[in-house]
Amino acid sequence: MSRSAEVICVGTELLLGEVLNSNAQFLGQELARLGIAHFHQTVVGDNPTRIKRAIALACQRSQLLIFTGGLGPTPDDLTTETLADFFQAPLVNHPEILEDIARKFAQRNRVPSPSNDKQALLPDGAQILPNPIGSAPGIIWHPRPELTIFTFPGVPKEFHRMWQETAVPYLQSTGWVTAQIYSRVLRFWGIPESTLADQVAPLLALTNPTVAPYASKGQARLRISTRATSQETAHQVIAPIEQQIRQICGLHCFGGDDETLESVVGKLLQQRGETLAVAESCTGGGLGQRITGVSGSSTYFLGGVISYTNAAKRDLLKVNAADLEQYGAVSAIVAEQMAAGVRSQLHSTWGISITGIAGPDGGSETKPVGLVYIGLSGPQGTQSFEYQISPLRGRDWIRQMSTSHALDRLRRQLLADES
Amino acid sequence: MSRSAEVICVGTELLLGEVLNSNAQFLGQELARLGIAHFHQTVVGDNPTRIKRAIALACQRSQLLIFTGGLGPTPDDLTTETLADFFQAPLVNHPEILEDIARKFAQRNRVPSPSNDKQALLPDGAQILPNPIGSAPGIIWHPRPELTIFTFPGVPKEFHRMWQETAVPYLQSTGWVTAQIYSRVLRFWGIPESTLADQVAPLLALTNPTVAPYASKGQARLRISTRATSQETAHQVIAPIEQQIRQICGLHCFGGDDETLESVVGKLLQQRGETLAVAESCTGGGLGQRITGVSGSSTYFLGGVISYTNAAKRDLLKVNAADLEQYGAVSAIVAEQMAAGVRSQLHSTWGISITGIAGPDGGSETKPVGLVYIGLSGPQGTQSFEYQISPLRGRDWIRQMSTSHALDRLRRQLLADES
């Protein structure tokens, strides 16, 4: 039988739902990426009897047991001593652990308390799995042949660092990792997941690399994955498929991996030496917030106007009062005047605007909740675009979709200019 | 031995980390609230042998087994048939389930496929646990005396509805719930969790109700909890303690339960018939977005200016060019002029402004990353407040803290006016 790993998360706070168990998800992703089989995850409270039963069961069926949680200084942190007890190993004091804790505490003008002493006690034969940021180290231990135990603290930031810096290299050097999975994510806007899946249907049947569609927050994605021994080999398998997908999907594909609509728009503006201003009604500043969430956005983003009332649209954006009266604040013509107005007020290359009905109230038969107009004003003139966003998913969703549509309109315009 | 519940989440997507197991957290919170003991959570993949082993283990130690996932129409959805197989119960067809699925599909202009047929097959003796929104119903089943099994689909929205509408009433009517836990959360701003805990230290030792401090996103909270047979009894225990805490903490306590700084500020403005405008620099619209995230905010929020450049501050907010030059954009005087400027431009009762250095670049020795000024302008004049927010947690954190400080300053001013 081939070897497999198993995850045991220790902590009554997990059973009580006070903490979301993101560590189990992280380990699932990592073990999948490293190509290590993994069939069970267990959560137990801070109870030595139940922890021991979980150990007994796990070491019957798995060769790598990964524990998270229960390494802190308090009496209900029991993982280390319960493991030692189960495998009948004495606990050995490691003074260097306490020295390290004292050093870290000193940086925050604190001193260790007597309760920290027990964090220096590890089962006889266990190696220290160093914690570069927190007080609790973990262990790498072989209590018997063909069995490896890792322990990690429950704090995700500490656990992730320890996993990447020590556990992964250990697994790579001990034959657990032969080839790992490399993935590239392509991101799309303006095309639903189902349409995207239809367009690339033949590629979804591939076995190496695999291509899998998924969607989150209205954004369709394709994940191209391959099992390979190096990043370079993986790239050779993935790149031609990425190119095919980009040819099929054209402008719908806006980026890959960690890119966002706002980071892509920012990069394009920066390359062109152009600037942007925004005029927001129903999104109330959400578009500006997304744009300025990108570090360095001050090189191309000048600012904007949140025009939540008709008066603000007239006074700050020079929207025509008669048009506001005749067509209403949520209309194509007002969106266009908002975009042109903010562009002119802030002397930017581009102005984008959003006006719509975010709900839950304020909709009518002719202007239902979810109706949104995007205005786009640039050197060649001003246009507007109408969207009907589903009201079923609520106010936040409508506002979020609106800012994405606005960024996407500008992105397509910038790319069209270049072709 | 008293009875306990156990959670078994089925799905290879959970083991692969593709989905975060929020269902386990939800069940943990709910079982704790209902006072039902719960010592184990297990995740298994879509594998009948391993699912059966998990059932065998769970029904040795628990009397209520709660399954999530594996109820869909695809061949790897195996929960129902594996349960039937384990307890050697035949599967019985329930035509009313397929009729219900067909009705739901029709609303979306779809028709069920042959693969949906198996969703109508339930173990002999199992009751339907209705799914009001999705296609997959669950079951309530007693395969043997003293053992109850619930199954739910993995989709959180469907699972939550089914849990609240059918499972909770079932548990209440079958003796599983004798008294449940009622909680009231008090929310604080402007006081760190540790200081808050010191101030209310004697209350933290109470046993009924219990008072527990915690913090999230810089916001300290106290949870007051009691086990009671009704909401009214709980209120009698909780209310006097809440009153004591509010007396001790004064204005630091901004609200309870689902209230936010922006909803509390909105309520105060609405009561007073006053209006608000914002001027944002480093937050780029994030303050406006929070304010307008509250439905109905258009009755008091007029809009604002995102002044990301000095030119925007001068042109749109009438900030003095010489002051900008002499003191810099991140200064008390500019914050005050921004707040006064936006108040005057938008004719609002109140103007609040934010100018600061969100980083990661742009800091200096005298003006480090995290330095933020809040301006507040109202009928009695204009003030500013200086904050040094820790840069360690990054740009998003600094921006988030800045908008909270701004809302809190206005809240305190509005409450001071009233006293």
Side-chain angles (χ1 to χ4, degrees):
Chain A
M1 203 190 106
S2 68
R3 299 189 295 177
S4 65
E6 172 151 359
V7 174
I8 300 176
C9 303
V10 181
T12 300
E13 72 280 11
L14 292 168
L15 291 178
L16 293 175
E18 290 169 0
V19 172
L20 182 61
N21 194 358
S22 63
N23 291 340
Q25 181 184 31
F26 174 83
L27 277 171
Q29 290 171 338
E30 283 292 294
L31 292 169
R33 179 177 74 82
L34 298 170
I36 297 175
H38 156 234
F39 303 120
H40 303 89
Q41 294 181 343
T42 306
V43 177
V44 276
D46 303 313
N47 174 295
T49 310
R50 287 188 211 106
I51 296 173
K52 274 188 215 166
R53 283 198 206 125
I55 299 169
L57 185 67
C59 63
Q60 280 165 31
R61 60 192 183 190
S62 304
Q63 296 71 43
L64 170 62
L65 312 192
I66 305 173
F67 289 81
T68 67
L71 302 189
T74 69
D76 58 355
D77 288 307
L78 294 166
T79 302
T80 309
E81 57 207 80
T82 308
L83 276 166
D85 193 21
F86 180 87
F87 290 106
Q88 299 182 303
L91 286 166
V92 176
N93 189 40
H94 292 251
E96 68 272 34
I97 293 178
L98 267 193
E99 286 161 23
D100 179 60
I101 293 177
R103 215 171 14 246
K104 284 172 183 150
F105 275 42
Q107 289 170 1
R108 289 177 284 160
N109 298 314
R110 288 175 54 196
V111 288
S113 78
S115 62
N116 289 108
D117 289 353
K118 74 170 207 168
Q119 294 183 289
L121 299 174
L122 304 186
D124 193 15
Q127 270 177 261
I128 298 174
L129 203 171
N131 182 337
I133 40 182
S135 68
I139 59 172
I140 300 177
W141 189 28
H142 303 285
R144 57 167 82 142
E146 297 301 308
L147 180 64
T148 302
I149 289 179
F150 287 164
T151 67
F152 296 94
V155 182
K157 271 199 181 171
E158 301 177 12
F159 164 43
H160 294 179
R161 284 277 301 265
M162 294 164 73
W163 175 260
Q164 301 296 2
E165 291 175 14
T166 304
V168 172
Y170 179 89
L171 292 169
Q172 284 168 332
S173 68
T174 52
W176 274 94
V177 181
T178 47
Q180 67 184 63
I181 293 173
Y182 293 88
S183 292
R184 166 96 173 137
V185 173
L186 295 181
R187 295 170 178 272
F188 299 81
W189 194 261
I191 182 171
E193 185 192 1
S194 54
T195 312
L196 176 61
D198 287 346
Q199 289 192 0
V200 299
L203 299 176
L204 301 185
L206 291 177
T207 53
N208 185 34
T210 58
V211 179
Y214 62 112
S216 171
K217 293 188 183 163
Q219 188 191 100
R221 301 177 197 173
L222 289 175
R223 189 197 283 127
I224 316 171
S225 305
T226 186
R227 199 172 153 87
T229 51
S230 75
Q231 178 78 60
E232 293 70 42
T233 331
H235 179 75
Q236 284 166 17
V237 177
I238 289 173
I241 302 301
E242 170 170 350
Q243 211 184 335
Q244 273 191 54
I245 294 171
R246 285 182 179 268
Q247 258 159 19
I248 295 167
C249 301
L251 285 185
H252 291 315
C253 177
F254 73 80
D257 295 339
D258 292 337
E259 287 183 308
T260 59
L261 282 166
E262 53 269 32
S263 75
V264 168
V265 163
K267 208 187 287 175
L268 288 168
L269 289 170
Q270 219 157 16
Q271 282 163 4
R272 299 158 62 110
E274 295 181 344
T275 58
L276 173 63
V278 299
E280 303 188 55
S281 185
C282 64
T283 49
L287 177 58
Q289 193 199 27
R290 280 182 70 172
I291 293 167
T292 58
V294 179
S295 165
S297 49
S298 59
T299 57
Y300 51 83
F301 183 65
L302 304 186
V305 168
I306 306 169
S307 54
Y308 219 56
T309 60
N310 282 352
K313 292 181 183 71
R314 280 194 312 265
D315 298 349
L316 298 180
L317 294 171
K318 314 299 171 203
V319 172
N320 186 292
D323 290 333
L324 266 173
E325 179 70 27
Q326 186 176 348
Y327 301 101
V330 179
S331 60
I333 192 166
V334 168
E336 289 171 21
Q337 290 181 20
M338 286 170 66
V342 82
R343 174 171 180 259
S344 139
Q345 292 292 308
L346 280 129
H347 313 290
S348 57
T349 321
W350 300 95
I352 37 181
S353 69
I354 302 175
T355 178
I357 299 162
D361 308 316
S364 68
E365 207 163 308
T366 51
K367 296 192 176 177
V369 170
L371 177 68
V372 173
Y373 291 91
I374 307 290
L376 175 59
S377 182
Q380 276 96 51
T382 303
Q383 306 161 264
S384 61
F385 307 89
E386 181 184 312
Y387 292 89
Q388 178 58 54
I389 299 164
S390 163
L392 295 175
R393 298 182 67 173
R395 179 178 177 86
D396 287 347
W397 174 261
I398 291 170
R399 284 157 40 101
Q400 171 76 16
M401 289 301 102
S402 300
T403 57
S404 292
H405 286 314
L407 289 165
D408 191 51
R409 279 297 163 190
L410 175 58
R411 178 184 70 89
R412 287 171 191 261
Q413 181 65 49
L414 294 172
L415 291 171
D417 282 4
E418 290 181 357
S419 62
Chain B
M1 202 190 107
S2 67
R3 299 191 295 177
S4 65
E6 171 151 359
V7 174
I8 300 175
C9 303
V10 181
T12 300
E13 72 281 10
L14 291 168
L15 290 178
L16 293 175
E18 290 169 0
V19 172
L20 183 61
N21 194 357
S22 63
N23 291 340
Q25 181 184 31
F26 174 84
L27 277 171
Q29 290 171 339
E30 283 291 295
L31 292 169
R33 179 177 74 82
L34 298 170
I36 297 175
H38 156 232
F39 303 120
H40 303 89
Q41 294 181 343
T42 305
V43 177
V44 275
D46 303 313
N47 174 295
T49 310
R50 288 188 209 103
I51 296 173
K52 274 188 215 168
R53 284 197 205 126
I55 300 169
L57 185 67
C59 62
Q60 280 166 33
R61 60 192 183 191
S62 303
Q63 296 72 43
L64 170 62
L65 312 191
I66 305 173
F67 289 81
T68 68
L71 302 190
T74 69
D76 58 355
D77 287 306
L78 295 166
T79 302
T80 309
E81 57 206 78
T82 308
L83 276 166
D85 193 22
F86 180 87
F87 291 105
Q88 299 181 301
L91 286 166
V92 177
N93 189 40
H94 292 252
E96 68 272 34
I97 294 178
L98 267 193
E99 286 161 24
D100 179 61
I101 294 177
R103 216 172 11 248
K104 284 171 182 150
F105 275 41
Q107 288 170 2
R108 289 178 284 159
N109 298 313
R110 288 174 55 196
V111 288
S113 77
S115 62
N116 289 107
D117 289 353
K118 74 171 206 166
Q119 294 183 289
L121 299 174
L122 305 186
D124 193 14
Q127 270 177 261
I128 298 174
L129 203 171
N131 182 337
I133 39 182
S135 67
I139 59 172
I140 301 177
W141 189 28
H142 303 285
R144 57 167 82 141
E146 297 302 308
L147 180 64
T148 302
I149 289 178
F150 287 164
T151 67
F152 296 94
V155 182
K157 271 199 180 171
E158 300 177 13
F159 164 43
H160 294 180
R161 284 276 301 265
M162 294 165 72
W163 174 260
Q164 301 296 2
E165 292 176 14
T166 305
V168 172
Y170 179 89
L171 292 169
Q172 284 168 333
S173 68
T174 52
W176 275 94
V177 181
T178 46
Q180 67 184 63
I181 293 173
Y182 293 87
S183 292
R184 165 96 173 137
V185 174
L186 294 181
R187 296 170 178 272
F188 299 81
W189 194 261
I191 182 171
E193 184 191 0
S194 54
T195 312
L196 176 62
D198 287 347
Q199 289 192 0
V200 299
L203 299 176
L204 302 184
L206 291 178
T207 53
N208 185 33
T210 59
V211 179
Y214 61 112
S216 171
K217 293 188 183 164
Q219 188 190 100
R221 300 175 197 175
L222 289 175
R223 188 197 283 127
I224 316 171
S225 305
T226 186
R227 200 173 152 87
T229 50
S230 75
Q231 178 78 60
E232 293 70 42
T233 331
H235 180 75
Q236 285 166 17
V237 177
I238 289 173
I241 302 301
E242 170 170 350
Q243 212 184 335
Q244 273 192 54
I245 294 171
R246 284 181 179 270
Q247 257 159 20
I248 295 167
C249 301
L251 284 185
H252 291 315
C253 178
F254 73 79
D257 295 338
D258 292 337
E259 287 183 308
T260 59
L261 282 166
E262 54 270 31
S263 75
V264 168
V265 163
K267 209 187 286 175
L268 288 168
L269 289 170
Q270 220 157 15
Q271 282 163 4
R272 299 158 62 109
E274 295 180 345
T275 58
L276 173 63
V278 299
E280 303 188 54
S281 185
C282 64
T283 49
L287 177 57
Q289 192 198 28
R290 281 183 69 172
I291 293 167
T292 58
V294 179
S295 166
S297 48
S298 59
T299 58
Y300 51 83
F301 183 65
L302 304 185
V305 168
I306 306 169
S307 54
Y308 219 57
T309 60
N310 282 352
K313 291 182 184 70
R314 281 194 312 266
D315 298 349
L316 297 180
L317 294 171
K318 314 299 171 202
V319 172
N320 186 292
D323 290 333
L324 266 172
E325 179 71 27
Q326 186 177 349
Y327 301 101
V330 179
S331 61
I333 192 166
V334 167
E336 289 171 21
Q337 290 181 21
M338 286 170 66
V342 82
R343 174 171 181 260
S344 139
Q345 293 292 308
L346 280 129
H347 312 290
S348 57
T349 320
W350 300 95
I352 36 181
S353 69
I354 303 175
T355 178
I357 299 162
D361 308 316
S364 68
E365 207 162 307
T366 50
K367 296 194 176 177
V369 170
L371 177 68
V372 173
Y373 291 92
I374 307 289
L376 175 58
S377 182
Q380 277 95 51
T382 303
Q383 307 161 264
S384 60
F385 307 89
E386 182 183 311
Y387 292 90
Q388 179 58 54
I389 299 165
S390 164
L392 294 176
R393 298 182 67 173
R395 179 179 178 85
D396 287 348
W397 174 261
I398 291 170
R399 284 157 40 101
Q400 171 76 17
M401 289 301 102
S402 301
T403 57
S404 292
H405 286 314
L407 289 165
D408 190 52
R409 279 296 164 191
L410 175 57
R411 178 184 70 89
R412 287 171 190 261
Q413 182 64 49
L414 294 172
L415 291 171
D417 282 3
E418 291 182 357
S419 62

